[in-house]
Amino acid sequence: MEEKIRKIKQEAFEEVGKAKNLDELSQLKIKYLGRKSAFNEILKSLKDLSNEEKKIIGPLANSVKSEIAGFLEETERLLEIKSFDWAAEKIDVTIPGQKIRRGHLHPLSMVRNEIEDIFTAMGFEIADGPEIETEHYNFDALNIPKDHPARDKWDTFWVKNDSGKERTLLRTHTSPVQVRFMEKNKPPFRIISPGKCFRNEATDARHEHTFYQFEALVVGDDINVGHFKFIAQQFFSSFFKKEIDVRVRPSYFPFTEPSFEFDISCSVCQQKGCSVCSGTGWLEVGGAGMVNQEVFVASGYPRGRYQGFAWGFGLERLLILRHRIDDIRLFHSGDLRFINQF
Ligand code: PHE
Protein backbone atom coordinates (compact mmCIF):
# COMPACT_ATOMS: atom_id res chain seq x y z
CA MET A 1 0.00 0.00 0.00
CA GLU A 2 2.76 2.38 0.95
CA GLU A 3 4.51 1.56 -2.29
CA LYS A 4 1.37 2.33 -4.27
CA ILE A 5 1.00 5.74 -2.64
CA ARG A 6 4.61 6.65 -3.36
CA LYS A 7 4.13 5.63 -6.98
CA ILE A 8 1.07 7.76 -7.41
CA LYS A 9 2.94 10.68 -5.91
CA GLN A 10 5.87 10.27 -8.26
CA GLU A 11 3.63 9.96 -11.30
CA ALA A 12 1.56 12.94 -10.28
CA PHE A 13 4.58 15.18 -9.79
CA GLU A 14 6.05 14.10 -13.12
CA GLU A 15 2.86 14.64 -15.10
CA VAL A 16 1.88 17.91 -13.42
CA GLY A 17 5.42 19.20 -14.00
CA LYS A 18 4.96 18.61 -17.70
CA ALA A 19 1.51 20.23 -18.01
CA LYS A 20 1.65 22.86 -20.74
CA ASN A 21 -1.54 24.77 -20.07
CA LEU A 22 -4.41 25.27 -17.65
CA ASP A 23 -6.68 22.83 -19.51
CA GLU A 24 -4.21 20.01 -19.18
CA LEU A 25 -3.74 20.88 -15.56
CA SER A 26 -7.42 20.68 -14.72
CA GLN A 27 -7.53 17.21 -16.33
CA LEU A 28 -4.66 16.13 -14.09
CA LYS A 29 -6.42 17.54 -11.05
CA ILE A 30 -9.37 15.24 -11.78
CA LYS A 31 -7.07 12.34 -12.52
CA TYR A 32 -5.12 12.53 -9.26
CA LEU A 33 -7.52 14.01 -6.73
CA GLY A 34 -10.95 13.46 -8.28
CA ARG A 35 -13.66 11.20 -6.97
CA LYS A 36 -12.66 8.37 -9.27
CA SER A 37 -8.91 8.77 -8.78
CA ALA A 38 -6.70 5.89 -7.64
CA PHE A 39 -5.88 8.00 -4.63
CA ASN A 40 -9.47 8.28 -3.58
CA GLU A 41 -9.82 4.53 -3.84
CA ILE A 42 -6.94 4.19 -1.39
CA LEU A 43 -8.52 6.62 1.03
CA LYS A 44 -11.81 4.73 0.80
CA SER A 45 -10.11 1.39 1.51
CA LEU A 46 -8.38 2.71 4.66
CA LYS A 47 -11.33 1.51 6.73
CA ASP A 48 -10.58 -2.11 5.85
CA LEU A 49 -7.02 -1.96 7.16
CA SER A 50 -5.85 -3.19 10.52
CA ASN A 51 -5.30 -0.60 13.25
CA GLU A 52 -1.53 -0.93 12.95
CA GLU A 53 -1.63 -0.27 9.22
CA LYS A 54 -4.11 2.59 9.59
CA LYS A 55 -1.62 4.40 11.83
CA ILE A 56 1.02 4.38 9.12
CA ILE A 57 -0.99 4.58 5.91
CA GLY A 58 -3.54 7.19 7.10
CA PRO A 59 -1.09 10.03 7.80
CA LEU A 60 1.02 9.11 4.77
CA ALA A 61 -1.97 9.22 2.41
CA ASN A 62 -3.11 12.57 3.83
CA SER A 63 0.26 14.23 3.59
CA VAL A 64 0.83 12.97 0.04
CA LYS A 65 -2.63 14.22 -0.91
CA SER A 66 -1.88 17.72 0.32
CA GLU A 67 1.55 17.66 -1.31
CA ILE A 68 -0.05 16.85 -4.67
CA ALA A 69 -2.74 19.49 -4.11
CA GLY A 70 -0.06 22.06 -3.22
CA PHE A 71 1.97 21.25 -6.31
CA LEU A 72 -1.14 21.50 -8.50
CA GLU A 73 -1.89 24.92 -7.10
CA GLU A 74 1.65 26.18 -7.54
CA THR A 75 1.70 24.95 -11.14
CA GLU A 76 -1.63 26.57 -11.79
CA ARG A 77 -0.27 29.95 -10.66
CA LEU A 78 2.78 29.57 -12.88
CA LEU A 79 0.70 28.65 -15.90
CA GLU A 80 -1.62 31.58 -15.26
CA ILE A 81 1.29 34.01 -15.29
CA LYS A 82 2.70 32.34 -18.41
CA SER A 83 -0.59 32.49 -20.31
CA PHE A 84 -1.34 36.11 -19.32
CA ASP A 85 -1.51 38.43 -22.31
CA TRP A 86 0.91 41.12 -21.17
CA ALA A 87 0.87 42.89 -24.51
CA ALA A 88 -2.87 43.53 -24.25
CA GLU A 89 -2.40 45.02 -20.79
CA LYS A 90 0.23 47.48 -21.85
CA ILE A 91 -0.50 51.08 -20.91
CA ASP A 92 0.57 53.71 -23.39
CA VAL A 93 1.29 56.77 -21.29
CA THR A 94 1.80 58.91 -24.39
CA ILE A 95 -1.86 58.73 -25.54
CA PRO A 96 -3.41 62.18 -25.00
CA GLY A 97 -5.90 62.32 -22.09
CA GLN A 98 -9.62 62.87 -22.49
CA LYS A 99 -10.35 66.55 -22.33
CA ILE A 100 -12.87 67.57 -19.67
CA ARG A 101 -14.95 70.32 -21.18
CA ARG A 102 -15.65 73.16 -18.81
CA GLY A 103 -18.70 75.35 -19.14
CA HIS A 104 -18.75 79.08 -18.53
CA LEU A 105 -21.11 81.72 -17.24
CA HIS A 106 -24.10 82.65 -19.34
CA PRO A 107 -23.48 85.89 -21.29
CA LEU A 108 -26.15 87.61 -19.19
CA SER A 109 -24.33 86.66 -15.97
CA MET A 110 -21.06 87.87 -17.44
CA VAL A 111 -22.50 91.23 -18.41
CA ARG A 112 -24.20 91.55 -15.04
CA ASN A 113 -20.85 91.00 -13.26
CA GLU A 114 -19.23 93.52 -15.53
CA ILE A 115 -21.89 96.14 -14.78
CA GLU A 116 -21.62 95.52 -11.06
CA ASP A 117 -17.86 96.03 -11.24
CA ILE A 118 -18.20 99.35 -13.07
CA PHE A 119 -20.77 100.65 -10.61
CA THR A 120 -19.16 99.47 -7.40
CA ALA A 121 -15.98 101.20 -8.60
CA MET A 122 -18.07 104.41 -8.72
CA GLY A 123 -19.22 103.88 -5.12
CA PHE A 124 -22.60 102.29 -5.85
CA GLU A 125 -24.16 99.61 -3.67
CA ILE A 126 -25.98 96.60 -5.13
CA ALA A 127 -29.55 96.08 -3.94
CA ASP A 128 -31.79 93.10 -4.47
CA GLY A 129 -35.53 92.43 -4.50
CA PRO A 130 -37.88 89.47 -4.98
CA GLU A 131 -38.93 88.24 -8.41
CA ILE A 132 -42.41 87.47 -7.07
CA GLU A 133 -43.52 90.92 -6.03
CA THR A 134 -46.63 92.36 -4.41
CA GLU A 135 -49.02 94.58 -6.32
CA HIS A 136 -48.06 97.34 -3.89
CA TYR A 137 -44.34 97.47 -4.70
CA ASN A 138 -44.65 96.72 -8.41
CA PHE A 139 -47.42 99.26 -9.01
CA ASP A 140 -49.12 101.31 -6.26
CA ALA A 141 -46.00 102.52 -4.45
CA LEU A 142 -44.63 103.53 -7.86
CA ASN A 143 -47.60 105.80 -8.41
CA ILE A 144 -49.41 103.37 -10.72
CA PRO A 145 -52.77 102.85 -8.97
CA LYS A 146 -55.27 100.20 -9.99
CA ASP A 147 -57.24 101.17 -13.11
CA HIS A 148 -54.58 103.68 -14.14
CA PRO A 149 -54.06 103.28 -17.89
CA ALA A 150 -50.28 103.21 -17.30
CA ARG A 151 -50.68 99.67 -15.98
CA ASP A 152 -51.22 98.55 -19.57
CA LYS A 153 -47.55 99.27 -20.20
CA TRP A 154 -46.53 96.52 -17.79
CA ASP A 155 -48.82 93.60 -18.55
CA THR A 156 -48.31 91.11 -15.78
CA PHE A 157 -48.30 87.43 -14.87
CA TRP A 158 -50.41 87.31 -11.71
CA VAL A 159 -49.44 84.64 -9.25
CA LYS A 160 -52.26 82.71 -7.61
CA ASN A 161 -52.09 83.01 -3.87
CA ASP A 162 -54.71 82.03 -1.32
CA SER A 163 -53.26 84.03 1.57
CA GLY A 164 -56.22 86.44 1.32
CA LYS A 165 -53.67 89.21 1.74
CA GLU A 166 -52.06 91.12 -1.07
CA ARG A 167 -52.12 90.15 -4.71
CA THR A 168 -48.78 88.91 -6.02
CA LEU A 169 -47.25 88.91 -9.47
CA LEU A 170 -44.03 88.31 -11.35
CA ARG A 171 -42.37 91.71 -11.24
CA THR A 172 -42.48 93.56 -14.52
CA HIS A 173 -39.46 95.76 -13.82
CA THR A 174 -36.74 96.29 -11.21
CA SER A 175 -38.25 99.60 -10.08
CA PRO A 176 -39.98 98.03 -7.01
CA VAL A 177 -36.48 97.68 -5.53
CA GLN A 178 -36.34 101.50 -5.36
CA VAL A 179 -39.14 101.56 -2.79
CA ARG A 180 -37.94 98.48 -0.90
CA PHE A 181 -34.50 100.01 -0.53
CA MET A 182 -35.72 103.49 0.41
CA GLU A 183 -37.99 102.13 3.15
CA LYS A 184 -34.93 100.74 4.90
CA ASN A 185 -32.27 103.37 4.11
CA LYS A 186 -31.79 107.07 4.53
CA PRO A 187 -30.33 109.27 1.74
CA PRO A 188 -27.82 110.04 0.47
CA PHE A 189 -27.17 106.78 -1.37
CA ARG A 190 -26.44 105.35 -4.82
CA ILE A 191 -27.58 101.87 -5.75
CA ILE A 192 -28.01 99.64 -8.73
CA SER A 193 -30.29 96.65 -8.83
CA PRO A 194 -29.91 94.12 -11.61
CA GLY A 195 -32.43 91.29 -11.83
CA LYS A 196 -34.94 89.16 -13.68
CA CYS A 197 -38.25 90.62 -14.84
CA PHE A 198 -41.29 89.21 -16.61
CA ARG A 199 -43.97 90.53 -18.90
CA ASN A 200 -47.07 88.94 -20.25
CA GLU A 201 -46.54 89.77 -23.88
CA ALA A 202 -46.25 88.15 -27.26
CA THR A 203 -42.63 87.37 -28.01
CA ASP A 204 -40.77 88.35 -31.15
CA ALA A 205 -37.19 89.22 -32.09
CA ARG A 206 -37.37 92.31 -29.85
CA HIS A 207 -39.65 91.17 -27.02
CA GLU A 208 -39.31 88.38 -24.50
CA HIS A 209 -41.54 87.34 -21.57
CA THR A 210 -38.50 86.87 -19.34
CA PHE A 211 -35.61 89.30 -19.39
CA TYR A 212 -33.15 91.15 -17.20
CA GLN A 213 -33.23 94.79 -16.23
CA PHE A 214 -30.98 96.92 -14.26
CA GLU A 215 -32.12 99.81 -12.19
CA ALA A 216 -30.02 102.68 -10.93
CA LEU A 217 -31.15 105.03 -8.16
CA VAL A 218 -29.26 108.00 -6.74
CA VAL A 219 -30.91 110.07 -4.00
CA GLY A 220 -29.59 113.05 -2.06
CA ASP A 221 -30.32 116.68 -1.22
CA ASP A 222 -29.73 118.20 -4.63
CA ILE A 223 -29.38 115.46 -7.24
CA ASN A 224 -30.30 116.69 -10.73
CA VAL A 225 -30.50 115.57 -14.36
CA GLY A 226 -26.87 116.64 -14.90
CA HIS A 227 -25.79 113.96 -12.40
CA PHE A 228 -27.79 111.40 -14.32
CA LYS A 229 -26.20 112.37 -17.60
CA PHE A 230 -22.70 112.31 -16.19
CA ILE A 231 -23.07 108.91 -14.47
CA ALA A 232 -24.69 107.44 -17.59
CA GLN A 233 -21.88 108.73 -19.81
CA GLN A 234 -19.25 107.35 -17.43
CA PHE A 235 -20.95 103.99 -17.31
CA PHE A 236 -21.48 103.55 -21.06
CA SER A 237 -17.98 104.77 -21.86
CA SER A 238 -16.51 102.15 -19.50
CA PHE A 239 -18.84 99.50 -20.82
CA PHE A 240 -18.15 100.07 -24.52
CA LYS A 241 -14.53 101.11 -23.86
CA LYS A 242 -14.91 104.28 -25.90
CA GLU A 243 -16.21 107.80 -25.40
CA ILE A 244 -20.04 107.62 -25.35
CA ASP A 245 -22.43 110.57 -25.31
CA VAL A 246 -25.91 110.45 -23.74
CA ARG A 247 -29.00 112.42 -24.74
CA VAL A 248 -32.44 112.55 -23.15
CA ARG A 249 -35.85 112.87 -24.78
CA PRO A 250 -39.10 113.69 -22.95
CA SER A 251 -41.22 110.69 -22.00
CA TYR A 252 -43.64 109.52 -19.35
CA PHE A 253 -43.35 107.16 -16.39
CA PRO A 254 -45.66 107.49 -13.39
CA PHE A 255 -42.76 107.11 -10.94
CA THR A 256 -40.52 109.82 -12.40
CA GLU A 257 -41.18 113.52 -12.95
CA PRO A 258 -39.87 114.70 -15.34
CA SER A 259 -39.37 111.46 -17.25
CA PHE A 260 -37.26 110.75 -20.26
CA GLU A 261 -36.04 108.11 -22.63
CA PHE A 262 -32.32 108.17 -23.07
CA ASP A 263 -30.11 107.33 -26.03
CA ILE A 264 -26.39 106.77 -26.32
CA SER A 265 -24.20 107.82 -29.23
CA CYS A 266 -23.84 104.88 -31.62
CA SER A 267 -21.09 102.61 -30.34
CA VAL A 268 -20.55 101.15 -33.80
CA CYS A 269 -20.12 104.09 -36.19
CA GLN A 270 -19.15 107.01 -33.88
CA GLN A 271 -22.28 108.80 -35.13
CA LYS A 272 -21.33 108.71 -38.77
CA GLY A 273 -24.50 106.74 -39.45
CA CYS A 274 -24.70 102.97 -39.89
CA SER A 275 -27.25 100.16 -40.10
CA VAL A 276 -27.20 99.54 -36.33
CA CYS A 277 -28.36 103.11 -35.53
CA SER A 278 -30.41 103.33 -38.76
CA GLY A 279 -28.28 106.25 -39.83
CA THR A 280 -29.31 108.43 -36.85
CA GLY A 281 -26.08 108.16 -34.86
CA TRP A 282 -28.06 107.35 -31.70
CA LEU A 283 -29.15 104.10 -30.02
CA GLU A 284 -32.21 103.90 -27.77
CA VAL A 285 -31.31 102.40 -24.42
CA GLY A 286 -33.93 102.84 -21.70
CA GLY A 287 -36.12 104.95 -19.46
CA ALA A 288 -35.10 107.36 -16.74
CA GLY A 289 -36.21 110.41 -14.82
CA MET A 290 -36.18 112.34 -11.58
CA VAL A 291 -37.82 110.31 -8.83
CA ASN A 292 -41.45 111.39 -8.44
CA GLN A 293 -42.15 112.86 -4.98
CA GLU A 294 -45.12 110.45 -4.76
CA VAL A 295 -42.60 107.58 -4.70
CA PHE A 296 -40.61 109.25 -1.92
CA VAL A 297 -43.81 109.66 0.07
CA ALA A 298 -44.77 106.01 -0.52
CA SER A 299 -41.31 105.07 0.79
CA GLY A 300 -41.82 107.09 3.98
CA TYR A 301 -39.80 110.24 3.12
CA PRO A 302 -41.26 113.76 3.63
CA ARG A 303 -42.53 115.33 0.39
CA GLY A 304 -40.00 117.70 -1.16
CA ARG A 305 -37.15 116.78 1.21
CA TYR A 306 -34.97 114.84 -1.31
CA GLN A 307 -34.20 114.69 -5.00
CA GLY A 308 -32.98 111.75 -7.02
CA PHE A 309 -32.74 110.15 -10.41
CA ALA A 310 -33.59 106.64 -11.49
CA TRP A 311 -33.11 104.68 -14.63
CA GLY A 312 -33.99 101.22 -15.84
CA PHE A 313 -33.26 99.22 -18.94
CA GLY A 314 -32.74 95.74 -20.28
CA LEU A 315 -29.44 93.93 -19.85
CA GLU A 316 -30.10 92.02 -23.05
CA ARG A 317 -30.22 95.35 -24.86
CA LEU A 318 -26.60 96.04 -23.87
CA LEU A 319 -25.43 92.70 -25.25
CA ILE A 320 -27.55 93.13 -28.38
CA LEU A 321 -25.82 96.45 -29.02
CA ARG A 322 -22.35 95.22 -28.20
CA HIS A 323 -22.50 92.01 -30.25
CA ARG A 324 -25.21 92.99 -32.78
CA ILE A 325 -27.44 90.09 -31.80
CA ASP A 326 -30.55 90.06 -33.94
CA ASP A 327 -33.00 88.09 -31.78
CA ILE A 328 -33.56 88.61 -28.04
CA ARG A 329 -35.11 85.13 -27.73
CA LEU A 330 -31.65 83.59 -28.16
CA PHE A 331 -30.76 84.51 -24.58
CA HIS A 332 -33.19 82.07 -23.03
CA SER A 333 -33.15 79.53 -25.84
CA GLY A 334 -30.56 77.31 -24.13
CA ASP A 335 -28.99 76.91 -27.56
CA LEU A 336 -25.31 76.05 -27.06
CA ARG A 337 -24.42 77.27 -30.53
CA PHE A 338 -25.33 80.72 -29.25
CA ILE A 339 -23.98 80.42 -25.68
CA ASN A 340 -20.60 79.03 -26.77
CA GLN A 341 -19.86 82.12 -28.78
CA PHE A 342 -19.19 84.09 -25.60
N1 PHE B 1 -39.16 100.63 -14.87
C1 PHE B 1 -39.21 101.25 -16.16
C2 PHE B 1 -39.59 100.20 -17.21
O1 PHE B 1 -39.45 99.04 -16.95
C3 PHE B 1 -37.90 101.90 -16.53
C4 PHE B 1 -37.57 103.06 -15.67
C5 PHE B 1 -36.84 102.90 -14.51
C6 PHE B 1 -37.98 104.35 -16.03
C7 PHE B 1 -36.52 103.98 -13.72
C8 PHE B 1 -37.67 105.42 -15.25
C9 PHE B 1 -36.93 105.24 -14.11
O2 PHE B 1 -40.04 100.50 -18.27
Side-chain angles (χ1 to χ4, degrees):
M1 186 75 89
E2 255 184 271
E3 188 55 25
K4 212 171 166 190
I5 294 173
R6 292 221 160 80
K7 227 178 132 220
I8 294 175
K9 179 183 164 182
Q10 201 190 346
E11 259 179 49
F13 270 71
E14 256 168 44
E15 270 200 275
V16 170
K18 280 188 213 143
K20 282 194 275 310
N21 54 44
L22 290 168
D23 274 348
E24 271 181 41
L25 195 71
S26 71
Q27 294 301 323
L28 292 172
K29 209 177 193 170
I30 295 166
K31 178 171 173 189
Y32 287 103
L33 299 178
R35 246 185 319 119
K36 289 186 188 142
S37 65
F39 208 88
N40 215 29
E41 294 301 318
I42 292 173
L43 289 175
K44 269 196 228 156
S45 63
L46 278 181
K47 60 176 189 322
D48 306 325
L49 298 178
S50 69
N51 277 348
E52 295 301 295
E53 279 178 312
K54 264 188 205 156
K55 268 190 200 147
I56 302 169
I57 304 299
L60 178 69
N62 276 327
S63 87
V64 167
K65 187 185 172 186
S66 60
E67 271 179 85
I68 295 175
F71 189 55
L72 276 164
E73 225 171 84
E74 210 173 287
T75 311
E76 189 175 356
R77 241 178 292 135
L78 281 172
L79 288 175
E80 261 170 12
I81 293 171
K82 252 204 225 159
S83 64
F84 193 77
D85 188 358
W86 294 100
E89 279 302 300
K90 193 169 66 179
I91 294 171
D92 182 352
V93 293
T94 64
I95 291 174
Q98 257 183 9
K99 219 175 179 172
I100 297 170
R101 288 178 45 150
R102 280 180 96 182
H104 63 69
L105 290 179
H106 189 279
L108 283 169
S109 305
M110 293 197 254
V111 80
R112 178 179 169 156
N113 289 344
E114 200 179 328
I115 288 170
E116 291 186 358
D117 285 348
I118 297 174
F119 273 93
T120 47
M122 291 198 282
F124 278 68
E125 263 180 80
I126 295 160
D128 212 2
E131 287 168 9
I132 295 179
E133 194 45 286
T134 62
E135 184 173 15
H136 171 76
Y137 286 111
N138 197 81
F139 289 128
D140 299 86
L142 291 171
N143 197 30
I144 320 172
K146 210 178 254 135
D147 305 323
H148 192 287
R151 281 209 182 186
D152 292 348
K153 221 176 125 160
W154 293 275
D155 205 354
T156 312
F157 294 109
W158 292 95
V159 179
K160 222 179 183 172
N161 96 45
D162 302 325
S163 69
K165 287 188 212 137
E166 257 198 286
R167 293 210 293 168
T168 44
L169 50 91
L170 297 183
R171 69 174 175 187
T172 56
H173 47 182
T174 43
S175 298
V177 184
Q178 292 186 23
V179 180
R180 285 184 176 274
F181 185 86
M182 288 199 279
E183 281 178 342
K184 295 207 178 80
N185 294 274
K186 231 181 137 242
F189 57 73
R190 319 165 237 199
I191 59 163
I192 58 160
S193 183
K196 207 182 242 182
C197 304
F198 310 84
R199 282 187 202 173
N200 184 3
E201 54 186 14
T203 61
D204 60 34
R206 300 194 53 177
H207 299 90
E208 188 45 304
H209 50 71
T210 302
F211 57 96
Y212 283 81
Q213 270 198 346
F214 110 83
E215 195 85 5
L217 176 68
V218 175
V219 178
D221 287 336
D222 52 7
I223 300 298
N224 60 51
V225 180
H227 294 122
F228 159 76
K229 217 181 150 193
F230 177 75
I231 294 282
Q233 276 168 358
Q234 290 294 307
F235 166 69
F236 287 106
S237 299
S238 311
F239 184 81
F240 288 106
K241 299 190 173 58
K242 58 176 75 141
E243 207 62 31
I244 297 280
D245 198 11
V246 169
R247 74 170 184 189
V248 299
R249 290 177 285 113
S251 182
Y252 171 74
F253 298 101
F255 35 93
T256 45
E257 179 59 30
S259 303
F260 28 86
E261 301 282 337
F262 67 101
D263 304 335
I264 59 171
S265 52
C266 181
S267 54
V268 177
C269 67
Q270 316 295 35
Q271 299 198 285
K272 286 189 197 76
C274 68
S275 60
V276 178
C277 61
S278 317
T280 63
W282 294 96
L283 302 168
E284 280 181 36
V285 177
M290 300 307 294
V291 178
N292 194 319
Q293 290 296 327
E294 294 300 335
V295 178
F296 284 143
V297 171
S299 307
Y301 296 169
R303 187 182 299 277
R305 169 70 184 81
Y306 298 109
Q307 293 188 148
F309 75 75
W311 89 41
F313 60 83
L315 278 196
E316 286 86 347
R317 180 94 181 115
L318 282 184
L319 284 170
I320 284 171
L321 291 177
R322 187 192 258 174
H323 302 288
R324 303 198 220 163
I325 297 162
D326 54 11
D327 195 327
I328 192 173
R329 290 168 295 190
L330 284 166
F331 287 104
H332 287 100
S333 64
D335 189 337
L336 289 177
R337 289 171 304 179
F338 172 70
I339 305 289
N340 284 342
Q341 289 178 51
F342 292 88

